[in-house]
Amino acid sequence: MTDAVQPTVADDVALARASEIIETARKPDGKRPVIRTFFDEPTFTASHVVHDPATRVAAIIDSVLDYDAAAGRTARSSADAIIAYVEKEGLKVEWLLETHAHADHLSAAPYLQERLGGKLAIGREIITVQETFGKLFNAGSDFERDGSQFDRLFDDGDSFRLGEVEAIVLHVPGHTPADLAYVIGDAVFTGDTIFMPDFGTARADFPGGDARQLYRSIRRLLSLPAEARLLLCHDYKAPGRDDYVWETTIGAERAANVHVHDGVSEDEFFDMRTKRDKTLSMPKLILPSVQVNMRGGRLPEPEDNGKRYLKIPLDSV
């Protein structure tokens, strides 16, 4: 995305194709995926298992590795719950999809891949993230900054299938340079780009973030058919709401998103987002999360004493 005027749906080939996939899936004989969500309350993260009911082919989106920061211990209970579901339902995992390099939780993708198979994928701009954070963490020459930790680097408009269900990738930068949305049948998995209508939108003050770019990415997503299901990566229970919710629709966001509903201009959004971001503290797990997730969810290699270490750069973030 650039500073150029946002293209119309007709001119945006990837967006037009995404709209076509959604509309086709919503026809009476359309191929709509089944979605099961696992919510990790400590990190407020929604991980989604999406599958084709005809072939049982599945993808796992934005998985969580449990991490106790105070003790420096990892655990796999969240990932094991996903494994149990996949095995019970007889699903065949072909994709482990990351919407971006998360700053609030560690990915469990390598563990799930070891147990269930599938290709690990993320957006090609992970290379930009690796360059930025490789320097911050002084990762050294052994850390490859070419995305090779992943099996597939997606570009905007790339397509794939889950069995008989069509899918396409949309690049939606702004929160980070690498954010993707996955359109799978009539469902859109947006990562951190947008939240429930009563909570608003993602922050844009991380390295490589851009509030104007985020606005354009969101408006691009909101050009999709109003009936499309929208599956979010996080929920934080907006004031006055007692339950966690992670599914809405494109139409609901256009009508009522408190930050970016129809009628909000780019300048208005930029001013709001910039002022709001200045009031936010850094995510509690940003330092361990990013240095693991930029490696595709893999922990750093053991040092000469056999132990693995995560670095905490001082006075840097």
Side-chain angles (χ1 to χ4, degrees):
M1 308 288 285
T2 70
D3 289 339
V5 175
Q6 188 76 359
T8 65
V9 176
D11 293 333
D12 187 332
V13 175
L15 187 64
R17 179 62 184 139
S19 297
E20 181 182 2
I21 288 171
I22 292 167
E23 291 169 347
T24 300
R26 293 192 61 80
K27 292 179 179 179
D29 60 346
K31 307 297 183 182
R32 299 181 67 192
V34 173
I35 302 165
R36 170 71 160 87
T37 299
F38 295 79
F39 191 75
D40 179 62
E41 189 168 349
T43 63
F44 307 103
T45 301
S47 302
H48 308 288
V49 181
V50 51
H51 78 267
D52 169 23
T55 64
R56 317 302 286 178
V57 171
I60 301 171
I61 303 175
D62 292 335
S63 61
V64 173
L65 180 71
D66 305 305
Y67 178 67
D68 182 340
R73 292 187 179 277
T74 60
R76 297 167 174 172
S77 58
S78 296
D80 285 338
I82 291 176
I83 292 170
Y85 170 77
V86 167
E87 293 178 342
K88 178 182 177 182
E89 296 296 318
L91 305 182
K92 179 184 178 184
V93 175
E94 289 194 352
W95 291 101
L96 300 153
L97 303 176
E98 300 287 350
T99 55
H100 64 296
H102 306 276
D104 40 35
H105 70 270
L106 282 65
S107 171
Y111 173 63
L112 292 169
Q113 187 176 45
E114 179 183 329
R115 293 289 303 274
L116 300 172
K119 295 180 180 179
L120 175 57
I122 199 168
R124 185 172 301 279
E125 286 300 314
I126 188 63
I127 296 171
T128 301
V129 175
Q130 289 176 331
E131 286 285 355
T132 300
F133 285 97
K135 294 175 182 176
L136 176 65
F137 293 113
N138 196 27
S141 59
D142 291 340
F143 172 55
E144 299 292 342
R145 295 161 170 82
D146 58 2
S148 57
Q149 299 86 350
F150 300 85
D151 301 308
R152 175 75 181 270
L153 299 181
F154 281 124
D155 292 303
D156 186 64
D158 282 350
S159 61
F160 62 101
R161 302 180 74 91
L162 286 186
E164 298 176 3
V165 178
E166 292 186 273
I168 193 169
V169 175
L170 297 177
H171 184 213
V172 287
H175 172 58
T176 79
D179 282 66
L180 297 181
Y182 296 99
V183 178
I184 303 176
D186 69 327
V188 185
F189 299 86
T190 65
D192 289 10
T193 301
I194 195 168
F195 300 132
M196 289 298 294
D198 59 0
F199 200 85
T201 59
R203 64 195 298 166
D205 60 334
F206 294 151
D210 185 311
R212 291 190 181 277
Q213 197 173 52
L214 178 62
Y215 176 87
R216 296 168 193 164
S217 291
I218 292 172
R219 295 311 308 177
R220 188 183 189 212
L221 286 174
L222 296 187
S223 298
L224 293 169
E227 301 80 9
R229 294 184 283 173
L230 200 65
L231 281 297
L232 314 176
C233 186
H234 294 289
D235 187 57
Y236 304 96
K237 288 200 293 191
R241 175 155 55 84
D242 295 327
D243 299 318
Y244 292 108
V245 186
W246 46 79
E247 181 172 348
T248 181
T249 65
I250 293 290
E253 295 281 13
R254 291 187 61 175
N257 187 284
V258 293
H259 292 167
V260 72
H261 57 79
D262 284 355
V264 174
S265 71
E266 180 176 321
D267 286 342
E268 289 170 332
F269 178 82
F270 176 82
D271 289 343
M272 177 281 302
R273 189 70 264 170
T274 302
K275 292 176 183 176
R276 181 176 174 84
D277 287 350
K278 289 178 180 178
T279 71
L280 301 177
S281 58
M282 285 291 104
K284 293 180 180 179
L285 296 182
I286 184 171
L287 295 176
S289 294
V290 173
Q291 61 187 299
V292 169
N293 295 336
M294 70 182 187
R295 293 179 166 90
R298 296 171 183 85
L299 300 175
E301 290 298 317
E303 297 192 6
D304 55 11
N305 62 355
K307 296 185 182 298
R308 303 177 189 268
Y309 293 88
L310 293 172
K311 295 180 178 180
I312 305 297
L314 300 178
D315 303 320
S316 297
V317 178

